[in-house]
Amino acid sequence: MPEVQANGTAGHDSKTPKRHPDANRSKQRTGAGGQYGGDDTPSVLRLLPVSWMPYLQLVRLWPPAALLLIFFPHAFGVLHAAIRAQAPIQDVVRASILMFGGSFFFSNAAHIWNDLIDAPLDAQVERTRRRPIPRGAITPKAALVFCATQALGAATPLACMPLGLWTSFLYALPNIIGTAYYPFAKRHTHWPQLVLGFCIAWGVIMGEVAMRVQPLVWSTDTTGVTVDASIVCLVAGTGLWVLIYDTVYAHQDLEADLRVGIRSLAVLLQGHTKVVLWPVLTLMTGLLLQAGRLSGLGMPYYFVSVGGASVSLGLMLWRVNLQDSKSCWWWFSNGFWWTGGSIGMGLLAECYMQVRF
């Protein structure tokens, strides 16, 4: 990684003290600093070289919410496929490791690309103006090179997929296109959360593929393309979960977005957000129920996955103060654990009951 000084500019002074220069500032930070503001330096990362910090901030390494939000759907797909195929534990572990590695690099590449495209807009928003590219800690050229390395890392697991590189790449292609377009969506439409939901929920598809399951099957007879309806329901339900939590996240910057001209569901709905998201939550619950019915899943899935996800999201919608940036961040950064963890634990419990580990 190119070296940077403590103030984020090119070069490095060998006399820089070991104590990280952001240590005191991070302790005093109360506003957007802990909300992916861009220049926060958590204590867990302060043992690493100062020159790495802008790059770690760029990929949102800590807290790891971004990585886990991408990995959760992949895990859903792996577990769902394992239950239906009665797969042995070694296949589940192998696919999970493969998906976690791919998610790590894909998360990095996606965030770098997003910040690279959004840098002119981020510079105009209080919460994001101190991100590495807007504040000049990383040049656009360096960010693009870094993005390319992470994209290569994300593509590497495709060569290890059981269906082969070409088939796996074709399944990954819609997500690649959607992720590349996402930063532009907030300029073209008020529905960037729907685009993000599609991209992240596509991880379910890749998790299924990692377990040798093909959600789409092409036949030369009269049936043509056969689509696995249970997987479609799980993907759609996961996508609506993403839409809900990212709409809450978007309310952190509502006033700035209105001023700058950034579009989002938060901008579109404003005072009607909760009224609209409650029916979306109901639809999400229905899709998860249908996914379980079509897959023949049992009570662990319905009680933990469907029930836990619905209750946790319902609690968020009930309690979050959309006019308070800190409240939006707290419910986003904590609520995803409850919802994603509920769906994952329910599927894992179902695996334990139905699959011989």
Side-chain angles (χ1 to χ4, degrees), residues 22-357:
D22 286 342
N24 292 332
R25 185 174 60 181
S26 296
K27 290 179 181 179
Q28 297 171 356
R29 197 184 310 276
T30 58
Q35 300 166 222
Y36 286 155
D39 62 344
D40 48 310
T41 306
S43 57
V44 71
L45 300 180
R46 289 187 197 136
L47 294 178
L48 299 174
V50 174
S51 60
W52 292 15
M53 288 306 129
Y55 294 89
L56 301 180
Q57 293 164 350
L58 187 63
V59 300
R60 322 284 203 273
L61 185 65
W62 198 269
L67 166 61
L68 294 175
L69 284 169
I70 289 177
F71 174 65
F72 268 137
H74 290 80
F76 301 163
V78 169
L79 294 171
H80 181 252
I83 295 167
R84 301 174 73 202
Q86 298 289 292
I89 185 172
Q90 56 265 29
D91 286 357
V92 178
V93 172
R94 175 197 57 79
S96 298
I97 293 173
L98 200 62
M99 290 297 94
F100 186 82
S103 296
F104 174 79
F105 287 106
F106 187 82
S107 173
N108 292 348
H111 284 96
I112 299 167
W113 175 251
N114 183 79
D115 280 15
L116 186 60
I117 302 301
D118 275 356
L121 298 177
D122 285 344
Q124 302 178 63
V125 177
E126 176 63 26
R127 184 179 65 87
T128 59
R129 65 183 179 85
R130 293 293 301 167
R131 284 179 174 174
I133 299 176
R135 76 173 189 259
I138 299 176
T139 66
K141 182 179 179 180
L144 186 60
V145 172
F146 189 31
C147 182
T149 64
Q150 301 307 293
L152 182 61
T156 301
L158 297 178
C160 305
M161 299 281 268
L163 296 181
L165 174 60
W166 178 244
T167 299
S168 301
F169 171 75
L170 289 178
Y171 273 110
L173 187 58
N175 192 10
I176 296 172
I177 295 173
T179 302
Y181 170 68
Y182 170 68
F184 301 99
K186 64 194 70 174
R187 295 162 170 83
H188 302 156
T189 173
H190 282 103
W191 295 83
Q193 282 72 34
L194 188 61
V195 178
L196 183 65
F198 168 84
C199 294
I200 293 183
W202 198 262
V204 174
I205 299 289
M206 299 312 297
E208 301 273 352
V209 172
M211 291 295 293
R212 299 184 178 88
V213 173
Q214 294 210 50
L216 303 174
V217 178
W218 171 260
S219 177
T220 56
D221 58 23
T222 55
T223 58
V225 178
T226 302
V227 180
D228 191 319
S230 66
I231 297 176
V232 171
C233 289
L234 185 56
V235 170
T238 303
L240 292 182
W241 165 43
V242 175
L243 184 147
I244 292 171
Y245 74 63
D246 197 60
T247 301
V248 170
Y249 178 86
H251 274 78
Q252 294 181 100
D253 306 314
L254 179 56
E255 292 184 5
D257 289 351
L258 287 168
R259 184 185 72 253
V260 175
I262 299 174
R263 300 182 183 183
S264 70
L265 278 176
V267 170
L268 178 65
L269 300 174
Q270 295 190 43
H272 306 287
T273 297
K274 290 191 178 185
V275 174
V276 173
L277 290 186
W278 278 111
V280 173
L281 173 56
T282 302
L283 179 58
M284 184 205 80
T285 301
L287 287 165
L288 293 180
L289 287 170
Q290 183 68 353
R293 188 187 71 82
L294 293 173
S295 304
L297 303 184
M299 288 307 297
Y301 171 79
Y302 291 113
F303 183 76
V304 181
S305 294
V306 181
S310 300
V311 170
S312 62
L313 278 176
L315 183 63
M316 180 180 72
L317 291 181
W318 177 40
R319 296 296 302 275
V320 66
N321 180 1
L322 295 176
Q323 284 71 50
D324 183 354
S325 175
K326 292 181 183 178
S327 177
C328 292
W329 168 254
W330 192 92
W331 283 100
F332 163 78
S333 60
N334 291 280
F336 92 89
W337 285 101
W338 306 335
T339 305
S342 294
I343 298 175
M345 290 302 296
L347 287 169
L348 187 62
E350 195 76 29
C351 253
Y352 180 80
M353 293 184 64
Q354 296 195 28
V355 179
R356 293 184 176 181
F357 274 11

